[in-house]
Amino acid sequence: MLEVSELTKIYREGRGIRNLSFQMNSGTTFGFLGPNGAGKTTTIRLLMGFMKPDQGSARIWGLDCWKNRTELKSIVSYLPGELHFIEQQTGQEFLDLIEGMHGERRDIKRNQIELLRSLELDPKQRIRKMSKGMKQKLGIVAAFMLDSQVLILDEPTSGLDPLMQKTFVELILEEKKKGKTIFMSSHQFSEIERTCEQAAIIREGELLNIQDVASLKRNERQTFEVEVEGEEDAEFLRQSGLTIYALGKSRFTIILADKQELLWKTLAQIHVKRFKQGTLELEEAFMQYYR
Ligand SMILES: Nc1ncnc2c1ncn2[C@@H]1O[C@H](COP(=O)(O)OP(=O)(O)O)[C@@H](O)[C@H]1O
Ligand SMILES: [Mg+2]
């Protein structure tokens, strides 16, 4: 459905993105993960047809993101990474403006009310008086209320507090149920993990890796670090049937694939000096690419 092929855009200073290629299927969510300055916004601007690529192409449903940018406007909703509003307007006036540009469809209004409620945003306030997080919510409402088939979101949760980030994840999951195709950038692992089937990692303008999040999750394993009191405890642990790796004489990493029962039963029978939950393998895989 979305096909990016050798997409390249280099700014005058030599920064930008180089040779990006990836694809995504209709009805899935694709996470675009990378640190600040990696090239996420540049890629998204090319997908939105705001600039012409130097080389390569991006296509949505066969339409070229640059050449067919006008046609694509009616299919794609966009949340910019940096929102610019008319500050004197109220939130409601802004939303009415967007609504008006789409022919005042009744479903837009209904979606709008629903979204304002779940994001707990009062649209009557002037935008000038809104916090960064409130403005972000307003942008989210504007992008989601149109009920477009494709959503392109540039760091949608930036500025949102953790509770609202959770609400946002639920919102994405709702949209997925409706069959939407979603492309979103982020510099946070957790929201990508919870929403995306695929995730790409970009750094310094280059694609490092594309992960199949769904299959990684299926095989996900949890790690624990334990330090035991004496040799007897260590031996008990070795004989326990748990998958363990020795980190030292009394320190071990335990790897769990599924049931935790054996872990707790074993630990209950030995003297544990220290116990620490490690990262999930999935997160570890991402962190390695980040580093
Ligand atoms: N309009 C521009 N002109 C020149 N350099 C730019 C421009 N926009 C972005 N850059 C540079 O390109 C790189 C990628 O930026 P960007 O795509 O905004 O990254 P991200 O969204 O991942 O933080 C950065 O080094 C940034 O400074
Ligand atoms: Mg950006």
Side-chain angles (χ1 to χ4, degrees):
M1 183 242 114
L2 183 128
E3 190 167 15
V4 171
S5 161
E6 294 171 19
L7 194 65
T8 301
K9 175 81 196 178
I10 309 290
Y11 298 113
R12 239 174 264 130
E13 299 82 356
R15 297 213 173 86
I17 57 160
R18 273 188 187 78
N19 236 340
L20 301 195
S21 297
F22 56 84
Q23 284 140 33
M24 68 180 289
N25 292 327
S26 185
T28 65
T29 303
F30 193 102
F32 202 47
L33 206 61
N36 290 332
K40 301 182 295 296
T41 297
T42 303
T43 307
I44 285 178
R45 287 201 182 123
L46 289 164
L47 293 182
M48 292 305 301
F50 296 151
M51 12 180 228
K52 189 172 183 279
D54 295 340
Q55 275 169 52
S57 66
R59 292 175 162 274
I60 294 177
W61 274 319
L63 294 169
D64 187 281
C65 292
W66 171 249
K67 291 180 197 122
N68 308 107
R69 56 190 181 280
T70 330
E71 286 113 291
L72 280 170
K73 280 221 172 72
S74 59
I75 310 171
V76 181
S77 262
Y78 166 59
L79 175 72
E82 282 184 27
L83 292 155
H84 297 285
F85 296 105
I86 303 168
E87 298 275 318
Q88 305 90 284
Q89 279 189 335
T90 65
Q92 190 60 57
E93 282 164 353
F94 167 71
L95 293 174
D96 290 346
L97 189 76
I98 303 283
E99 200 186 320
M101 295 194 304
H102 292 267
E104 310 212 356
R105 284 157 32 198
R106 196 175 304 156
D107 61 317
I108 296 185
K109 192 82 201 168
R110 197 185 55 225
N111 296 338
Q112 186 190 110
I113 293 168
E114 186 107 348
L115 285 158
L116 288 167
R117 191 184 306 132
S118 49
L119 292 171
E120 297 169 24
L121 179 68
D122 174 10
K124 290 193 286 293
Q125 248 195 67
R126 289 208 185 282
I127 296 174
R128 167 162 46 87
K129 290 191 177 164
M130 290 186 177
S131 67
K132 189 174 183 297
M134 290 168 80
K135 288 179 184 172
Q136 188 68 14
K137 288 180 185 179
L138 194 57
I140 292 171
V141 174
F144 281 64
M145 70 181 185
L146 302 174
D147 205 22
S148 306
Q149 275 311 302
V150 183
L151 286 161
I152 296 186
L153 313 170
D154 195 354
E155 302 212 24
T157 59
S158 80
L160 298 185
D161 59 50
L163 223 58
M164 269 305 147
Q165 290 182 4
K166 198 164 162 271
T167 306
F168 177 80
V169 166
E170 282 156 18
L171 210 64
I172 291 284
L173 297 178
E174 282 300 312
E175 293 300 303
K176 279 170 78 91
K177 274 191 213 149
K178 293 184 209 156
K180 301 295 173 65
T181 306
I182 306 167
F183 183 91
M184 67 179 198
S185 74
S186 175
H187 59 260
Q188 275 187 38
F189 167 78
S190 63
E191 62 196 32
I192 295 292
E193 181 212 357
R194 282 155 71 195
T195 53
C196 298
E197 281 85 4
Q198 281 193 96
I201 299 171
I202 182 172
R203 203 177 64 192
E204 291 171 18
E206 287 179 35
L207 214 58
L208 297 184
N209 182 267
I210 299 173
Q211 298 265 15
D212 181 346
V213 179
S215 80
L216 276 174
K217 250 195 225 164
R218 248 177 272 126
N219 303 318
E220 187 160 73
R221 301 187 299 175
Q222 173 90 60
T223 66
F224 300 91
E225 261 181 63
V226 292
E227 185 174 350
V228 297
E229 193 80 41
E231 179 48 36
E232 231 172 86
D233 300 311
E235 186 53 26
F236 192 86
L237 199 58
R238 280 187 221 109
Q239 301 297 328
S240 66
L242 287 164
T243 309
I244 62 166
Y245 290 99
L247 297 169
K249 268 173 81 178
S250 56
R251 286 175 51 237
F252 301 90
T253 294
I254 302 173
I255 298 177
L256 273 196
D258 41 37
K259 281 181 260 157
Q260 296 203 346
E261 207 180 324
L262 182 59
L263 172 72
W264 303 124
K265 273 191 180 154
T266 307
L267 294 181
Q269 292 175 70
I270 56 176
H271 300 278
V272 177
K273 270 168 83 176
R274 222 170 54 88
F275 178 85
K276 191 172 141 230
Q277 185 165 345
T279 54
L280 295 167
E281 258 192 349
L282 182 58
E283 183 165 6
E284 189 51 41
F286 275 101
M287 290 316 286
Q288 268 173 25
Y289 285 106
Y290 251 82
R291 282 186 209 109

